[in-house]
Structures are given as C-alpha cells and as structure tokens.
Amino acid sequence: MDMFDQILLQYWGYHHFRPLQKEIIESVYNGNDTLGLMPTGGGKSIVFQVVAMASEGVCLVVTPLIALMKDQVDNLWARQIKAVAIYSGMSFEEISAAFDKCLWGGYKFLYVSPERLKTEHFLTRIKSLKINLIVVDEAHCISSWGYDFRPSYLEIAQIRELLPDIKILALTATATPDVVNDITEKLHFSKKSVFSTSFERKNLAYLAREREDKVDYLVMIALKNRGAGIVYVRNRNKTQEVAIALRKKGLNADYYHAGLNAKERSKKQAYWKDSADSIMVCTNAFGMGIDKPDVRFVVHLDLPESPEEYFQEAGRAGRDGNQSYAVLLYNQADIERLRKNVEVNFPPIPYLKRVYEALANYFQIPVGSNNGSCYDFSISDFCDKFKLEILPTYNAIKTLEQEGYFVLSESSEVLSKVKFTVERDKLYKFQVANRQFDSFIKLLLRTYTGLFTDFTRIDEQRLSTLSTLPVSQVKKYLETLSNGGVLFYSPARTVPILFYTNDRVETSRLTIDVTEYNARKKRYNNRVEAMIHYASSHSKCRSLILLEYFGQRNATRCGNCDVCRKRNELDMSAYTFDLILNDIKHHVRSGSYSITDLVKVINHPEESISRVVQYLLDNGKMIDMGDVLKWHD
C-alpha cells in the first residue's frame, strides 16, 4: 500500500480510489500543473485533499460556492483534519484569525472565495504561509467561454506570481474543448496536463418529452420508478406547489430553495439523504456537494439554460451504477421563454449604468472608494426604493459582475459568532464594574468554550432559553458589549452579499467592453440553442448529443434513451440503421428522390429502407413533399 492509499484509508476509510483519481493525484504530486475533468459525484474533493495531506504545508482552495465551502470544511473537521474558510461577509478580525490558524495552528486547508484574492490583506498574508498546492475548484468559472464565467477567478494568475513554485490543480465537472484550452491558458499551465473521465453514463437513460401536463407526467414517472428522486424547477414558489401535488398522490415529497433558512435546508436535506423514496422538488440551489448514490430519477420540469447545467444536474442520478433516469419535460412555451431570456439576460448598456449608479446611492458610496467593501444586499428592497424590476436588475448586476465591478454572493446563512476582545483579568474588572452584565457574561463562558482564542458560533435562542431572557434582550446585551469593546459580535444573517472588487467610478466613466459583451451574449445564445436542440431532437441518441457537445468523439449510441429505444423497435441493428440513414441523407440532400427512387438506388432490403424512411418522417428529419422527399436539418 503506497502513501496515497494509506491516506485514503486512514482519513476516508476507502480501500481503493475511483477511476482517474490516483492518476491526477500522482500528476500533481510529481510537480505538474493539472486539470481534472471529473463528473458530478466523481470524487473531486478527495483528489486534492489526499495530495495536500501527503505534503507539508497548507492547501489553498479557491471556490465560489460558500455553502459547499462550509460543507467541505465541516467534513474535514469530522475527519480530524483542520480547515478554515475565508469568504465575503467576514470581518477583518475573522479573516486575520483564519490566517493565524494556518500560520501557527497546524491547519491543512484554507478555502477562499475568489473575490478575496485581490484584497491587500489577502495578498499580504498569503506570502507568510507555506502553501503546498493551489486548487481551483469549479475551474470553468475562469473561462469567458464557459457558462459561469467569474472575472474574480482571473486573479488566480496573480497568486501564481506570488507563489511561482506552487503547482495548480484545476477541477471541473463540465467543460467543452474550448473551455479546457482556456482554463490551461488562463491559469498559466507550464504544460498541458489534462485528465478526463468519459462523460458517458451507461446506466443513465436520458428521456425528453414535449408535454403540456408536466406535473401529471411527473406523477406517472414517480409512481412507476419508486425510489429517491430530484425534480428541478426554476422558481421558488413552484418548488412548494409541485411538492404538494406529489404529496396529494401519496408520494413522499418535500421542497428546497435558497430562501429557506439554514436549519430548514439542513433538516430537509438530511431527511432526503437518509430516505429511500423521498422526492426533493428544488431549484438549482439543491444538489451541490450532495453525494446520494441511490437517486433513481432526476426530472427537469423547466428547460435549463445550457447543456452544462443540465448534464451536471441530471448526473446526480444513478451514482450507484444501477439503472436510473434523467427526464426532461418541456413545451413550446419553454422554448420561447428560453430564447427570450437571451435578451432578458443581457440588458441594454444604459440600464447597466442606471443600476450601477443606483447601487452606489443605495449604499451611500462616494466616487473613488469602497474597493474591498461588502454589504448585505436585499434585491427586493433595492428595487422597491429605486422603482426597478427585479429580473432585469438582477441580470444587470450579474453583467456588471462579469465586467469586474463587484461580486454578488449566493444567499447563505452566516451563523452568529462571538469572541472576547479583552483578556480574562480585564473582563473580570469589567464584570465587577458593570454588575448588570455579570450574569450574562458568566452564562456565555459556561455555555461556550474558546471565546478568548477563536470566533465561536453561538445561538441566541439557546442563550435565551438558558437565561430566561427574551431573544431581543440577549441580542441587545451582545450588541452593547460589542460596542463597548468587550467582545466582537457578528449576528446571523441570511441575505446575499455584494462585494465591491473595484472603487466606485463616475457613472459617465463606467466602461463596458461592448465587443466582449456581445461575444458573451452570442456564446450564451449558442448554449441555449444547444439545449433546445437536445430537447427537441428525435432522431439522434441523446447521450451522443451530450458527448459530442463536450468534445467526446467516436462514442456509440447508448441504446437506452428514448430515441434509441424507438429505433430498437425497427428490428435492425444500429449499424444497419446508420448505413441506411446515411445513404438516404446523401441522396435526398443531393437530388430529388421519392421513396420508390430510394429503394432502387440503396442496396438494402426494401422493407428496411421503408422503416427508416418512416422513422425519419415521423421524427421530422424528412418532409414528404408528395412526389419527392426533402431533408429537414
């Protein structure tokens, strides 16, 4: 058993690595900048965690997903591995404490959100740490060719200049060939070392159905395929509506979205993971970091915006290798909405400037200031005050984010934290001089440990119960002690955070790269059309469509999707079908042929040719013009 196998067994309890994990580990450990393309649930986190545990020093992990960051930190601690995270919304004191832990406390992992990379505080402190590896999670975010481009990821190149001898491990589940090339270029790979598992999922049957009665069809799927499932929808209200509809049919269903508080989300998620037949109706806030192997079906009731998004979410089914289903339900209204979104998601430049100026007024930010500052942000309150519509405003903010002006974090609940800022003897003197706080301070010290050395999570409700004080009074005590310099108190909050990555500029000087803006719009439109093609195609294997989109050539038909099953009914091999189809396509495209003419020129039995022709007509690939056939691309 080598060193990597020992680490895997000691900390994770596994005797063997999954496919490609060890190859990537060895590549990085041997000093190569490496890109790993691994499917959702393929074990990306174990790859970099094993490498880091085999090396002296701290592993720097860049990831944009705060919720996933927190989950991974908690999971590492559960394995007795020290880890800490830095993200938007943390105070200067909390960030300094995190760096101190990495410098002096034997911590092995430092998770950082990308917008923190360019702050002066980060750049100063990171140089003092012994970094053993830079990990770029969700690496597709660095590419403007990708579906989730984040300009703050470009700052990783600057980190490479500060740490020139440290290798990079980039990881992603979805990347087209263009994105792969862009990732290795933007991260300044010394040589292109790319490892990729096949995107093919042999046990996953892809199906697409054009339906108006989506919920009724969903009920049929759930009743027919008993087991755990995920149902994706595009808005929060719909999660609850669909879950109620499923419950009325006797199905075990719940709902999940980012608007729920942390306790609700955690409770729902835990129940679903432990259940054999629970169905979670959710937005795309659900699923990241969840490794439930026995999900029997994933159903999309709305069209995703890209094949990347669809592939990642559908891929949460059947991780145990057993037969599972990925079902996409759509109608013409969905297609029209998706195409309309191209314009909605790219607001006019005057609207971008209007939103930028309104944000500065909302937060009272003067020109030339606030680089590195962050604010709790309620988009509904903002839009109410400035008479703006929520959807175009949100899209304007995301566009300005891609232009590099600020970062809008996902909604994530930050729990309350406390740390005493005075030493014990000074605290005792304060208690003697301020008897009204004495009992409350003693309660804090009895209830929580480490208050003098670390930022400690607290629960105001628990303190209220123990002290018989109202929660409002507990918070008032904490705020008063914080304002008096006795302790640091950071109350819980659930709203997203807007982080300014650059100083505010005069609105007239706000620059938008119009060429790049239009290029991003075109690439978004191409992804939308690729998603529509996947849904509406009835003549090509759905697995093949996805595989070719991600650059995997020479793959064979899955034989398992709805298109392949329909072809199987023709009672001929896939090889024979392809030969006849290609002959038909060649002749119909190049000349005027009727069915009778095709039978004369194609060297196959008439019955077989007729079946393939009828299949192509039924699925819209050819049109019968009466006397001739016309190919329809």
Side-chain angles (χ1 to χ4, degrees), residues 460-473:
E460 291 92 340
Q461 183 60 57
R462 184 185 180 197
L463 291 171
S464 171
T465 301
L466 293 172
S467 66
T468 69
L469 294 170
V471 173
S472 59
Q473 185 62 43

Side-chain angles (χ1 to χ4, degrees), residues 422-440:
V422 297
E423 296 177 355
R424 288 182 182 273
D425 57 339
K426 290 184 178 179
L427 178 62
Y428 175 73
K429 291 177 183 178
F430 176 85
Q431 290 173 259
V432 171
N434 299 271
R435 289 290 180 183
Q436 69 272 30
F437 293 107
D438 182 56
S439 296
F440 182 73

Side-chain angles (χ1 to χ4, degrees), residues 68-208:
L68 184 57
M69 188 187 299
K70 292 177 181 177
D71 284 346
Q72 290 203 7
V73 168
D74 289 343
N75 288 335
L76 286 167
W77 274 99
R79 302 179 193 284
Q80 299 184 339
I81 300 170
K82 293 182 177 180
V84 67
I86 294 174
Y87 46 84
S88 296
M90 293 175 66
S91 68
F92 181 87
E93 291 81 6
E94 289 176 289
I95 294 171
S96 293
F99 277 113
D100 288 342
K101 290 173 183 177
C102 294
L103 187 60
W104 310 110
Y107 278 60
K108 289 297 296 182
F109 294 91
L110 172 60
Y111 285 78
V112 182
S113 56
E115 68 274 6
R116 281 288 171 188
L117 297 178
K118 69 179 293 184
T119 62
E120 187 176 343
H121 189 195
F122 177 86
L123 295 173
T124 300
R125 294 298 305 267
I126 197 66
K127 289 184 288 187
S128 66
L129 302 182
K130 182 177 177 57
I131 301 297
N132 61 31
L133 177 66
I134 301 171
V135 175
V136 183
D137 198 15
E138 307 296 331
H140 57 271
C141 293
I142 202 170
S143 174
S144 59
W145 288 88
Y147 73 103
D148 194 18
F149 172 55
R150 305 190 184 211
S152 51
Y153 259 63
L154 298 173
E155 302 300 329
I156 298 171
Q158 184 178 357
I159 304 303
R160 295 220 71 174
E161 293 175 8
L162 285 177
L163 307 168
D165 298 324
I166 308 304
K167 294 305 174 184
I168 275 189
L169 171 58
L171 296 164
T172 182
T174 51
T176 63
D178 285 336
V179 172
V180 168
N181 291 333
D182 210 19
I183 290 171
T184 57
E185 181 181 325
K186 294 282 181 21
L187 290 176
H188 299 171
F189 272 34
S190 52
K191 67 175 183 177
K192 190 175 178 181
S193 183
V194 179
F195 293 82
S196 176
T197 56
S198 172
F199 286 93
E200 188 174 13
R201 295 286 305 279
K202 291 184 181 298
N203 67 308
L204 188 57
Y206 295 101
L207 295 90

Side-chain angles (χ1 to χ4, degrees), residues 479-625:
E479 289 167 358
T480 303
L481 291 170
S482 183
N483 292 334
V486 176
L487 54 75
F488 174 88
Y489 170 53
S490 174
R493 58 183 183 274
T494 58
V495 297
I497 292 167
L498 196 73
F499 181 92
Y500 272 78
T501 52
N502 285 289
D503 288 336
R504 184 212 164 173
V505 298
E506 288 278 6
T507 305
S508 60
R509 295 179 57 207
L510 187 75
T511 56
I512 304 294
D513 187 334
V514 177
T515 301
E516 176 58 26
Y517 185 56
N518 289 333
R520 284 204 305 269
K521 182 177 180 180
K522 182 178 180 180
R523 289 193 288 267
Y524 175 83
N525 183 67
N526 290 341
R527 289 192 291 272
V528 164
E529 291 301 326
M531 193 65 238
I532 293 171
H533 169 67
Y534 169 86
S536 57
S537 175
H538 300 293
S539 60
K540 186 168 185 176
C541 168
R542 299 200 186 280
S543 179
L544 272 182
I545 293 175
L546 291 171
L547 293 175
E548 290 177 1
Y549 180 84
F550 290 112
Q552 189 169 325
R553 307 299 176 191
N554 303 319
T556 57
R557 286 200 190 94
C558 70
N560 211 17
C561 69
D562 57 324
V563 174
C564 286
R565 287 182 180 185
K566 192 168 183 180
R567 285 189 178 184
N568 294 343
E569 294 172 3
L570 297 177
D571 194 27
M572 68 179 73
S573 70
Y575 176 73
T576 302
F577 180 93
D578 281 346
L579 286 177
I580 297 173
L581 183 147
N582 289 331
D583 280 345
I584 292 172
K585 184 191 294 186
H586 169 73
H587 286 94
V588 171
R589 275 182 165 175
S590 61
S592 299
Y593 285 84
S594 66
I595 296 177
T596 303
D597 296 331
L598 289 175
V599 169
K600 293 177 182 177
V601 297
I602 296 177
N603 188 26
H604 283 280
E606 180 178 347
E607 184 180 356
S608 297
I609 297 170
S610 297
R611 287 180 183 177
V612 176
V613 167
Q614 191 58 53
Y615 175 87
L616 295 172
L617 290 171
D618 290 344
N619 289 282
K621 294 304 293 182
M622 286 198 311
I623 301 170
D624 189 348
M625 306 298 289

Side-chain angles (χ1 to χ4, degrees), residues 175-426:
T176 63
D178 285 336
V179 172
V180 168
N181 291 333
D182 210 19
I183 290 171
T184 57
E185 181 181 325
K186 294 282 181 21
L187 290 176
H188 299 171
F189 272 34
S190 52
K191 67 175 183 177
K192 190 175 178 181
S193 183
V194 179
F195 293 82
S196 176
T197 56
S198 172
F199 286 93
E200 188 174 13
R201 295 286 305 279
K202 291 184 181 298
N203 67 308
L204 188 57
Y206 295 101
L207 295 90
R209 293 282 188 269
E210 185 174 356
R211 308 291 300 197
E212 296 300 328
D213 56 336
K214 293 183 184 180
V215 176
D216 290 341
Y217 197 83
L218 168 63
V219 170
M220 184 193 75
I221 293 169
L223 289 172
K224 187 176 180 180
N225 300 281
R226 290 289 187 171
I230 305 175
V231 179
Y232 282 105
V233 297
R234 293 197 67 83
N235 68 67
R236 295 178 180 182
N237 291 336
K238 200 170 177 181
T239 61
Q240 190 169 5
E241 292 171 7
V242 174
I244 290 171
L246 292 174
R247 286 179 200 152
K248 287 180 179 178
K249 297 295 183 178
L251 292 159
N252 181 13
D254 202 353
Y255 66 96
Y256 184 107
H257 56 72
L260 301 170
N261 65 49
K263 287 184 178 178
E264 285 181 293
R265 293 200 305 272
S266 179
K267 182 179 178 181
K268 288 170 180 282
Q269 183 173 304
Y271 176 80
W272 178 81
K273 285 185 72 173
D274 293 338
S275 172
D277 67 349
S278 180
I279 301 168
M280 187 65 79
V281 186
C282 55
T283 62
N284 60 8
F286 182 78
M288 198 62 68
I290 292 174
D291 191 11
K292 182 173 172 64
D294 60 340
V295 177
R296 296 278 67 89
F297 60 88
V298 172
V299 179
H300 282 75
L301 290 190
D302 297 300
L303 276 174
E305 293 181 341
S306 68
E308 290 95 334
E309 183 181 342
Y310 180 69
F311 182 79
Q312 189 169 50
E313 291 169 356
R316 294 186 175 120
R319 293 180 185 173
D320 57 3
N322 294 328
Q323 181 67 57
S324 303
Y325 297 88
V327 184
L328 176 62
L329 303 180
Y330 75 99
N331 52 41
Q332 290 304 308
D334 292 329
I335 291 176
E336 291 171 14
R337 174 190 58 77
L338 207 54
R339 285 181 169 142
K340 185 178 179 182
N341 275 357
V342 176
E343 297 303 323
V344 173
N345 285 2
F346 289 84
I349 288 175
Y351 194 81
L352 300 180
K353 294 184 176 182
R354 178 185 172 190
V355 170
Y356 180 84
E357 184 167 15
L359 284 168
N361 292 332
Y362 183 66
F363 295 122
Q364 296 295 293
I365 301 172
V367 171
S369 67
N370 275 54
N371 178 11
S373 297
C374 56
Y375 303 88
D376 291 351
F377 180 60
S378 168
I379 192 168
S380 57
D381 181 64
F382 170 66
C383 289
D384 284 345
K385 287 186 177 178
F386 289 88
K387 310 302 180 193
L388 297 167
E389 293 182 45
I390 287 182
L391 185 57
T393 300
Y394 174 80
N395 289 324
I397 290 171
K398 297 306 288 184
T399 299
L400 290 165
E401 178 179 347
Q402 293 205 325
E403 292 292 329
Y405 288 103
F406 37 64
V407 173
L408 179 64
S409 77
E410 79 268 25
S411 180
S412 177
E413 184 167 57
V414 179
L415 301 178
S416 297
K417 295 177 184 176
V418 163
K419 179 186 177 185
F420 280 107
T421 55
V422 297
E423 296 177 355
R424 288 182 182 273
D425 57 339
K426 290 184 178 179

